[in-house]
């Protein structure tokens, strides 16, 4: 069993950066403000994606380390991204959303390994992320691992 570290904060920041594109999640705004039908629809979509990410991360964290099969939602990466894991969720019009995670076995003062969400990216259907995108993800991982005890939010 893993400890889920910073996943809620990382996802919140990632979703918060997309507020202009997708709107918020129900219950996070002023309850007295009325929403347009479009805002209501996008709120439901964002909540559905967030719930799916949470369900996947919880399933991975509660499975024995390195034993979760993934079913296409949790994938080990290869090449320059060996050691990284990608959580895959598709949104409206098959837009792809990804969370990039590490399994941290070396964190000081932690009895159990941690599942750490480092960042999230998105891309249109049938496109690839650039090598620069993956480089940025790896750099964030290097920054995370450079401190021990870890910087956890």
């Amino acid at each position: 069993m893993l400890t889920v570290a910073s996943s809620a904060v990382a996802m919140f920041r990632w979703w918060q950066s997309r507020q202009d594109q997708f709107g918020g999640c129900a219950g996070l705004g002023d309850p007295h403000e009325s929403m347009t039908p479009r805002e209501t629809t996008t709120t439901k979509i964002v909540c559905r994606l967030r719930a799916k990410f949470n369900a996947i991360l919880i399933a991975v964290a509660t499975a024995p380390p390195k034993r979760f099969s993934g079913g296409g939602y949790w994938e080990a990466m290869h090449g320059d991204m060996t050691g990284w894991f990608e959580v895959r969720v598709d949104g409206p019009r098959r837009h792809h959303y990804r969370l990039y995670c590490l399994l941290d076995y070396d964190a000081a003062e932690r009895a159990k390994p941690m599942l750490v969400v480092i960042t999230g990216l998105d891309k249109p259907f049938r496109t690839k992320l650039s090598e620069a995108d993956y480089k940025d993800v790896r750099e964030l991982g290097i920054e995370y691992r450079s401190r021990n005890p870890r910087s956890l939010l």
Side-chain angles (χ1 to χ4, degrees), residues 6 44-45 47 67 70 78-79 91-92 97 100 102 129 141 145-146:
S6 73
K44 288 178 185 174
I45 291 167
C47 292
R67 303 265 189 225
H78 51 81
Y97 297 89
Y100 294 92
L102 293 170
L129 293 170
R145 287 182 168 146
S146 70

Side-chain angles (χ1 to χ4, degrees), residues 142-153:
I142 290 168
E143 179 185 343
Y144 167 79
R145 287 182 168 146
S146 70
R147 296 184 214 104
N148 211 357
R150 306 292 193 215
S151 296
L152 302 175
L153 302 174

Side-chain angles (χ1 to χ4, degrees), residues 23-34:
C25 191
L28 295 180
D30 182 351
H32 302 292
E33 286 183 23
S34 62

Side-chain angles (χ1 to χ4, degrees), residues 11 15 25 43-59 87 89:
M11 283 191 292
W15 287 118
C25 191
T43 297
K44 288 178 185 174
I45 291 167
V46 170
C47 292
R48 199 173 312 130
L49 292 172
R50 187 181 304 176
K52 207 172 223 185
F53 273 127
N54 283 336
I56 295 164
L57 289 169
I58 290 167
V87 179
V89 173

